[in-house]
Amino acid sequence: MGIYQNICYKVEDLLVKAIAKKLDPAEVKAKVNNYRIEKERARIQRKEARVPRTTNNA
């Protein structure tokens, strides 16, 4: 997933850069990084909250 994620982030960065031309680049970059961190935390929490599949609860 590392390569796919890197490619997605690069494309996302290009789109954000094109859309936010008139805004402060440092501020936009900080917001994007914050968004990515929050999404990663949510993904990890969902993964940890999931009940492992066994024959008893299948």
Side-chain angles (χ1 to χ4, degrees):
M1 185 169 140
I3 295 171
Y4 179 76
Q5 189 175 31
N6 285 339
I7 292 171
C8 288
Y9 282 176
K10 299 276 184 195
V11 171
E12 202 174 68
D13 289 340
L14 290 173
L15 290 172
V16 168
K17 190 175 185 180
I19 292 171
K21 283 185 178 180
K22 296 181 181 180
L23 301 175
D24 180 31
E27 183 181 337
V28 171
K29 193 170 188 174
K31 286 182 180 180
V32 169
N33 284 336
N34 189 28
Y35 173 78
R36 289 177 181 168
I37 290 169
E38 288 300 318
K39 283 293 186 180
E40 184 66 19
R41 281 188 194 143
R43 185 187 68 80
I44 291 171
Q45 284 178 350
R46 281 194 313 269
K47 190 174 182 180
E48 289 175 350
R50 212 175 0 173
V51 175
R53 190 168 212 164
T54 62
T55 56
N56 293 342
N57 65 1

